[in-house]
Every structure is written in structure tokens, then in C-alpha cells.
Amino acid sequence: MNETIQDNLNYKKYVIDSRLKYFKPHSTKIEKSFSEEISFSLNRDSKFIHPKFFYDKKGSELFEKICTLDEYYPTRTEISILKSIQNDLFELLDGSFRLVELGSGASVKTRLILDVFNKKYDKIEYFPIDISEILTESSELLLKDYENLSITGIIDTYEGGLEFIQNYDSEKNLIVFLGSSFGNFSPIEGAKFLEKINSTMKHGDLFLIGLDLVKSTSVLEKAYDDSKGITAEFNLNVLSRINDELDADFDLSNFKHYAIYNEKDQRVEMYLKSLVNQSVIISKSNLSLELHKDELIHTEYSHKFKIEQIKELLGKTGFKIQKIWLDKNNLFSLTLASKN
Ligand SMILES: C[S@@+](CC[C@H](N)C(=O)[O-])C[C@H]1O[C@@H](n2cnc3c(N)ncnc32)[C@H](O)[C@@H]1O
């Protein structure tokens, strides 16, 4: 392993045992970037909070609850596709591969890919990349169930993780990016991100991406505003996180979760709506915020795609599509691509 390159990236290394290690940026770097990004994104006319900040411990737990909701079709649909393509994946993985996952979360869907690796290889190497500490718990659970697995976890942003794996060694990577998390990027940032993934890949590497498809407004809006209010809790939790970590005084009862499908831009837009005129102090970001009644803080985009758009997007960002799979109701897609 090329330890020196990875050690130079300002990561702290935690070796748990011979099968499990983590790399994490130094905590001062993480805290500084959270307070600086919030100071920038809330100190402007159109306010926003980057969706990566949803995922503290509570946020990750709430996301797992969202995945079990009746209205939230993406998780069960993507799982059904993964189950149906296991034989195809077995055939398409030519030679030995390491599994790298962007935004691995609870690593539940990962198991369906690990099962394919398990049939194919004596030893499995898995590199989960996730900004959330949930990565440590999910990794420990995986190790209990897969005896031949070793894990190198990178608790960092997608971009940090991609730089970490770039030039790591000559082993081929299957990079997976599931859950339609790619839909959180704006079209311009998304294209740049795909180019970044592509530039990280070696010839022979493969990329598997799960993307949600365009569908009716009512199905989409229910998926992001469920009847049990879990998505609302998930959205509002980011304000609790800012209160706890940046010493702020958001009163959560003064905000409401708001999700709407923007048909023209093919995206669900999620906001926190201020219910009153109010002032908020965020001490660690040096910010005194004035919000007026009905003002929106943007928290997430979730873009939806048509198959033609997926082909065009991957084509123009340097990929060659190997195969696209859909579920039987055409709700969700999985695309396998190589570097062109
Ligand atoms: C929508 S969840 C998807 C989880 C899982 N892949 C699935 O399909 O159910 C997004 C995951 O990506 C992580 N994440 C979100 N933004 C991130 C970022 N910018 N960099 C790294 N991880 C991120 C979150 O912590 C979360 O675990």
C-alpha cells in the first residue's frame, strides 16, 4: 500500500485491527470548514445550507428511517434492481476488483454487491467513503457477516475520498454511488463531479451509479414530505446540529419543512421556511442572522433524470455506458460505465 501519499493528505489514521482501519481529516479542519461554510451560505440574500451537513449521528439515523417509509420508493426500488442484476454483475466484473463506495451510509445496499464479490473472490477489499461517522458502525457490522472482508474507511467528503483513492495502487476499482445522491448536485456541479470521478479512474475501473427517474409530482412530493413527518425531522435536524456544534440559537418551532417538485428543472427542492420575522445568532460563524416571515433556507435539491439525459451526461463527462438497468415500474435506474 502507498501509505505515504495517503498519510500526506492530512488524515488521522485509526487502525482498529488487521481488517479495519479508518482515515479521517484532523478535527480542527472539519470544524473550521463547517463554521466557514455556514457563515458563507447563510450570510446572503438566497440562503442555503449544504446537504452534506444533514448527516450528523441523528441525521444519519433519520435518513435510515426515511429509507423504510412507504412513500420513500427509491431505497426499496434500488434494492430490487440490485438483487435482479447480481448475475449480470458477476459476469461483467472481469478480473479482480476492489469495491469503493461514495456516500456509503449504513452500507445496506452494499451487501448485495459484496455478495457478488463473495462468490467471485477469496478476499474482498472495501473502501467506504462517507462524511458521517455512521461509516464506523456500518463497517463493524459488515465485518461480522463477511469473513474474507477488509475495510479501509475514509470519513470525509466525496472529493476528499476520491483524492485519497487516486493513485492508491494498481488494483481495479468498482466505484459505486447509490441512492441517487448524485441528484443533490446542481447540473453544472454534477457534471464537474462526474469528470472528477472519471479522472480518478484507471482504465479497467468501473463506475455504478443509481439515479432516480422523472415521475409524477404527487409521488415525488410525498416521497420528500412523508405522512409521519420523518423527512421534516431530518430537514429540521440540521438546525439542531448548527445549534450544538456552532453555538447557535435557532428555535426549531419557528421553522417548517417545505418540499416542492420543480417540474421545469426536474428536481425536488427542500427548504426550511421561517414562520416569523426572527433573529438568530451563530456564534462560531460570527453571524447574526435576520430572517423574515416566509423566507426560505434552501437545504437540498434532488434531481430526477430521463434515460436519454443519463446517457448524454455520462457520455459528455468521459464515460462509456456498459449497461443501464431499470426496475419493472421504471422508477429508478442503475448504470454501469467505464472510462471512455
Ligand atoms: C442519501 S444518503 C445515501 C446512503 C446510501 N448510499 C443509500 O443509498 O441508502 C447519502 C450518504 O452520503 C453521505 N454524504 C452526503 N453528502 C456527502 C458528501 N458531500 N461527501 C461524503 N459523504 C456525503 C451521507 O452521510 C449519507 O450517508
Side-chain angles (χ1 to χ4, degrees):
M1 155 176 165
N2 197 346
E3 292 266 338
T4 46
I5 290 180
Q6 275 60 40
D7 288 347
N8 279 339
L9 287 171
N10 291 328
Y11 285 96
K12 200 160 177 222
K13 182 177 178 182
Y14 301 82
V15 180
I16 311 302
D17 58 35
S18 60
R19 295 169 64 207
L20 181 57
K21 56 180 175 291
Y22 306 116
F23 288 84
K24 193 177 165 185
H26 294 287
S27 55
T28 44
K29 186 183 159 210
I30 300 172
E31 282 154 21
K32 188 162 168 260
S33 77
F34 186 27
S35 78
E36 281 175 358
E37 285 196 43
I38 290 297
S39 159
F40 168 77
S41 68
L42 290 182
N43 194 15
R44 32 183 287 144
D45 288 343
S46 45
K47 298 180 177 37
F48 70 94
I49 300 172
H50 194 287
K52 69 185 171 200
F53 295 126
F54 280 136
Y55 298 94
D56 63 351
K57 188 169 181 349
K58 175 97 191 286
S60 290
E61 284 165 11
L62 286 168
F63 180 73
E64 285 316 299
K65 264 195 184 174
I66 290 174
C67 291
T68 65
L69 296 169
D70 283 349
E71 294 102 322
Y72 198 73
Y73 63 86
T75 303
R76 63 172 174 275
T77 311
E78 193 176 30
I79 287 177
S80 77
I81 308 175
L82 279 167
K83 282 185 177 157
S84 73
I85 69 168
Q86 284 179 312
N87 288 341
D88 288 1
L89 276 182
F90 185 92
E91 298 298 330
L92 286 160
L93 293 173
D94 185 15
S96 87
F97 278 83
R98 165 194 299 126
L99 182 60
V100 175
E101 182 167 15
L102 298 169
S104 47
S107 290
V108 171
K109 296 167 188 165
T110 320
R111 289 170 180 262
L112 296 164
I113 302 173
L114 289 176
D115 290 340
V116 175
F117 275 51
N118 217 358
K119 271 198 191 158
K120 228 175 146 73
Y121 311 124
D122 293 338
K123 286 195 167 151
I124 311 175
E125 239 194 316
Y126 175 47
F127 279 41
I129 297 167
D130 201 295
I131 201 162
S132 167
E133 299 275 340
I134 192 180
L135 186 153
T136 57
E137 279 167 44
S138 357
S139 296
E140 279 163 26
L141 288 175
L142 285 179
L143 288 174
K144 286 195 184 127
D145 294 335
Y146 295 87
E147 281 176 7
N148 54 351
L149 178 65
S150 63
I151 301 183
T152 302
I154 303 142
I155 305 173
D156 197 0
T157 57
Y158 305 134
E159 292 81 358
L162 285 170
E163 276 159 32
F164 186 99
I165 60 159
Q166 188 159 23
N167 306 323
Y168 189 75
D169 61 15
S170 59
E171 181 73 16
K172 283 189 287 188
N173 293 315
L174 166 63
I175 303 177
V176 301
F177 193 20
L178 304 176
S180 205
S181 298
F182 174 77
N184 298 155
F185 286 95
S186 70
I188 292 175
E189 293 302 319
K192 277 196 213 150
F193 186 62
L194 287 176
E195 279 166 2
K196 181 162 181 85
I197 294 175
N198 192 280
S199 68
T200 307
M201 288 167 66
K202 303 178 289 293
H203 280 282
D205 283 359
L206 288 169
F207 177 49
L208 181 70
I209 181 165
L211 293 172
D212 198 9
L213 302 178
V214 167
K215 56 186 65 61
S216 80
T217 299
S218 72
V219 170
L220 286 169
E221 289 187 348
K222 280 188 195 132
Y224 292 83
D225 194 4
D226 63 276
S227 54
K228 292 195 174 124
I230 311 293
T231 318
E233 214 185 315
F234 173 75
N235 197 8
L236 283 157
N237 178 60
V238 76
L239 299 182
S240 300
R241 180 177 187 188
I242 297 174
N243 281 348
D244 294 346
E245 294 181 29
L246 300 181
D247 218 352
D249 62 357
F250 280 104
D251 177 348
L252 271 59
S253 65
N254 284 340
F255 292 87
K256 192 178 181 330
H257 167 68
Y258 176 57
I260 188 164
Y261 183 55
N262 173 338
E263 212 174 318
K264 177 176 135 305
D265 293 324
Q266 290 180 208
R267 64 188 182 208
V268 176
E269 300 178 353
M270 237 162 67
Y271 299 93
L272 289 162
K273 185 190 255 188
S274 174
L275 297 175
V276 291
N277 292 328
Q278 54 182 317
S279 313
V280 179
I281 306 273
I282 309 175
S283 303
K284 289 193 180 166
S285 294
N286 277 327
L287 202 62
S288 168
L289 204 63
E290 296 297 328
L291 287 156
H292 60 75
K293 184 173 182 300
D294 295 331
E295 184 167 350
L296 298 174
I297 301 177
H298 174 246
T299 51
E300 189 181 79
Y301 286 138
S302 193
H303 286 85
K304 310 298 161 189
F305 300 87
K306 296 178 181 161
I307 302 300
E308 284 317 307
Q309 293 170 329
I310 296 174
K311 288 183 182 162
E312 192 190 323
L313 183 60
L314 286 169
K316 77 172 187 204
T317 50
F319 290 94
K320 180 169 179 232
I321 293 181
Q322 304 286 323
K323 188 117 187 165
I324 302 182
W325 298 273
L326 308 180
D327 59 294
K328 60 179 186 322
N329 298 316
N330 294 350
L331 296 175
F332 204 92
S333 67
L334 273 172
T335 302
L336 184 74
S338 53
K339 199 175 163 81
N340 205 349

